Amino acid sequence: MKITKKWLACIVACMMVCTAFVGCGKSDDSKKASDVDSTTKGDNNAVVSEDSSTDLEGTLDIFQFKVEINDALKAATEKYMKLHPGVKVNLETVGGGDDYGAALRTKMQNSDQPDIYNIGGPQDVKDWNDNLEDLSSEEWIPNVVNGLLDDVSKDSKVFGMPMAIEGYGFIYNKGIFEAAGIDAESLKTFDEIDAAFGKLKEKIDNGDLKDQYQVLEAVIEYPAKEKWVTGMHTSNVAFGQEFANCTEAYNAKELEFTYSNELKDLVDLQVKYTTNADNPSGLNAVDYSMQAGGGLAIERVAVIQQGNWVYPVIKEIDENIADNLGVIPIPLKGVSEGNTPIGVPMYWAVNSQSDDNSKAIAKDFLNWLYQSDEGKNIVIDEFNFIPPFTNYGDLKPADPVGAEISQAATEGTIAPWVFNGCPTSWAENVLGAEIQAYLAGNKTWDEVIDTAKESWKDARK
């Protein structure tokens, strides 16, 4: 298992009650352009802005990718506007089944560029160099979990605020596994998971679970239409053993694809237990909505490859099912088994091309959202985020999926999250598209790997 001690230390630190946290006091030179009216002592003696400037006036445009928090973020912006009657916040969300990166590139070519947007890591820092405000003097900087700013830092400047800590694996319905007589909590290795999925498939096919789960038709749903699922998350299980972090991936001129065969095994495993096992090309029409809301949330399937971000999606449809979910670690056969990939999905960035007033509002909003007591509760209870900050005290995710991800972090059973170090749009538009071609029967796996490696090499020239 290739995990840096630095990563492990920083993730574990996030989960701890940081009673010994130091260096988080507000200094005079960290005072922002927006100029706070007052401060209050937050958890762990970290001095944070509780009620930011009330004399702000203007418009703030936010363009973000995380569809799962859209409603909660909208509600948060409304609370912020009540605190600041002179501010109008516009929120636009593009994600899920839509390509946020492509949408952002289009957005930035227009005159209505957003003031706040999302970046992923070192590749985005390079790509959006002309649109990134230096955030290194913001007062939340000292409170970030150690190491989480490395991928968005350059020349001693910080260009992103971490959105959350997330993890993913096989999210499963505990009730279905219990009814099938399978101890899901004991599943660690590829072979154990394969055998358990096979046993569950047999019971589904025989109708043994029909009385309890009338619509259950398959073990798993795999949304190959979503190239971010295949090209980013599934493939990261292999890349996370080839590269230690995003920066190492970003600096790689060539891709060895050391674990390409093991990645094929992981893709094939998921295909084998869907209803499209005999017609894998059908998976290219399966999207996130069909997998989550139309799959796991209605007990049409028992398992999906997703992360803790899916909890509010399931909860919105059936809270009882959402509260009975667990996480099986996603394995790389014989290489990394029993581990959960954990990392920062995206960072908040402030557009350096916005006018000074809009930038001041943008910085004030982000600080309020993640550092005020009201904002912290929104981040934990409404977004269901694992906070990337050390000054949240006893505030922790209450949902079962987030709690299991946090537990994996605490125990150190984690794997790196490196796909944000891939060349621009490569993971989705090259590898994700190639995996679709493989599932459609248009390419062999060797051809997929050859194309992916060559494209990576070309992008790094």
Side-chain angles (χ1 to χ4, degrees):
M1 183 174 64
K2 189 177 182 181
I3 303 174
T4 62
K5 291 183 179 179
K6 181 178 182 181
W7 250 106
L8 178 59
C10 73
I11 296 295
V12 172
C14 181
M15 303 302 125
M16 298 174 63
V17 178
C18 302
T19 54
F21 183 73
V22 296
C24 50
K26 181 184 175 187
S27 61
D28 290 342
D29 59 0
S30 68
K31 196 173 184 180
K32 301 183 303 173
S34 54
D35 196 15
V36 296
D37 280 347
S38 62
T39 60
T40 185
K41 275 190 178 300
D43 295 320
N44 306 312
N45 298 320
V47 181
V48 298
S49 298
E50 175 61 19
D51 184 15
S52 52
S53 176
T54 56
D55 58 0
L56 293 171
E57 291 186 357
T59 300
L60 174 64
D61 293 322
I62 303 173
F63 185 64
Q64 69 99 26
F65 88 107
K66 189 164 272 303
V67 295
E68 294 88 354
I69 67 165
N70 180 66
D71 292 346
L73 182 56
K74 179 69 175 176
T77 64
E78 290 169 353
K79 290 180 179 178
Y80 182 79
M81 285 189 284
K82 285 185 178 179
L83 292 172
H84 307 281
V87 173
K88 169 65 175 175
V89 182
N90 299 312
L91 172 64
E92 184 176 358
T93 299
V94 173
D98 297 317
D99 187 340
Y100 176 79
L104 180 60
R105 286 190 288 276
T106 300
K107 198 83 173 172
M108 288 299 194
Q109 292 173 354
N110 298 329
S111 58
D112 61 337
Q113 294 184 4
D115 304 305
I116 292 177
Y117 61 103
N118 299 142
I119 59 172
Q123 184 65 55
D124 280 348
V125 170
K126 176 184 178 183
D127 292 347
W128 298 113
N129 179 66
D130 294 336
N131 293 83
L132 290 172
E133 177 79 355
D134 178 14
L135 303 177
S136 55
S137 64
E138 292 303 295
E139 56 191 74
W140 48 262
I141 289 286
N143 297 335
V144 176
V145 171
N146 185 33
L148 294 191
L149 297 177
D150 292 353
D151 288 331
V152 289
S153 297
K154 182 181 178 183
D155 299 331
S156 301
K157 296 179 180 178
V158 176
F159 297 107
M161 169 194 260
M163 176 179 283
I165 292 174
E166 292 186 335
Y168 65 92
F170 291 133
I171 310 299
Y172 71 98
N173 182 314
K174 291 181 178 178
I176 293 175
F177 275 74
E178 289 169 3
I182 300 170
D183 179 11
E185 293 184 5
S186 68
L187 301 177
K188 307 296 181 190
T189 71
F190 185 97
D191 290 341
E192 289 172 350
I193 293 169
D194 191 9
F197 284 7
K199 179 180 179 180
L200 180 56
K201 181 181 186 303
E202 183 178 357
K203 288 186 175 293
I204 294 171
D205 292 346
N206 290 339
D208 295 343
L209 306 175
K210 203 66 177 178
D211 289 343
Q212 289 177 265
Y213 301 99
Q214 288 82 13
V215 300
L216 181 62
E217 63 177 14
V219 174
I220 192 169
E221 188 63 282
Y222 192 45
K225 183 177 180 180
E226 309 293 3
K227 292 178 287 187
W228 58 273
V229 172
T230 54
M232 298 172 82
H233 290 173
T234 306
S235 64
N236 178 78
V237 180
F239 295 146
Q241 301 307 308
E242 184 165 342
F243 303 111
N245 50 51
C246 289
T247 300
E248 188 173 307
Y250 172 72
N251 290 328
K253 299 299 181 185
E254 296 187 21
L255 176 66
E256 295 295 332
F257 230 135
T258 308
Y259 302 107
S260 61
N261 290 332
E262 289 79 5
L263 177 58
K264 177 180 182 298
D265 289 339
L266 182 56
V267 171
D268 290 345
L269 173 74
Q270 299 195 63
V271 173
K272 183 166 69 171
Y273 294 110
T274 69
T275 56
N276 285 289
D278 296 329
N279 178 35
S281 63
L283 294 174
N284 290 335
V286 176
D287 62 14
Y288 181 41
S289 177
M290 294 170 65
Q291 181 203 33
L296 188 65
I298 62 172
E299 297 181 325
R300 183 178 63 80
V301 297
V303 181
I304 61 174
Q305 182 208 299
Q306 286 294 346
N308 56 299
W309 55 83
V310 79
Y311 174 79
V313 176
I314 307 300
K315 180 182 177 182
E316 185 175 3
I317 296 173
D318 193 318
E319 186 168 357
N320 290 328
I321 292 175
D323 288 338
N324 201 31
L325 297 176
V327 184
I328 299 171
I330 187 168
L332 191 66
K333 188 175 183 180
V335 180
S336 175
E337 300 178 309
N339 299 308
T340 300
I342 289 177
V344 175
M346 280 286 204
Y347 294 78
W348 298 106
V350 174
N351 192 344
S352 59
Q353 301 299 319
S354 296
D355 59 65
D356 289 345
N357 187 60
S358 295
K359 287 190 287 188
I361 297 172
K363 293 173 183 177
D364 186 76
F365 173 77
L366 290 175
N367 193 63
W368 169 81
L369 183 59
Y370 279 87
Q371 294 295 286
S372 72
D373 288 346
E374 183 177 25
K376 288 176 181 176
N377 284 308
I378 292 172
V379 168
I380 295 292
D381 297 331
E382 306 300 327
F383 294 175
N384 296 109
F385 279 177
I386 300 171
F389 294 92
T390 57
N391 62 330
Y392 273 55
D394 292 331
L395 293 175
K396 297 178 181 177
D399 71 271
V401 181
E404 286 203 31
I405 298 295
S406 297
Q407 183 66 25
T410 301
E411 295 174 351
T413 52
I414 59 175
W417 177 305
V418 305
F419 56 78
N420 284 330
C422 296
T424 305
S425 75
W426 178 90
E428 289 188 69
N429 296 333
V430 177
L431 184 56
E434 288 295 306
I435 291 174
Q436 288 180 335
Y438 167 69
L439 295 176
N442 296 329
K443 283 194 171 184
T444 67
W445 187 255
D446 287 343
E447 290 172 333
V448 167
I449 300 305
D450 288 344
T451 300
K453 292 171 66 174
E454 193 63 29
S455 176
W456 181 295
K457 184 178 179 179
D458 289 343
R460 292 298 195 221
K461 288 181 178 176

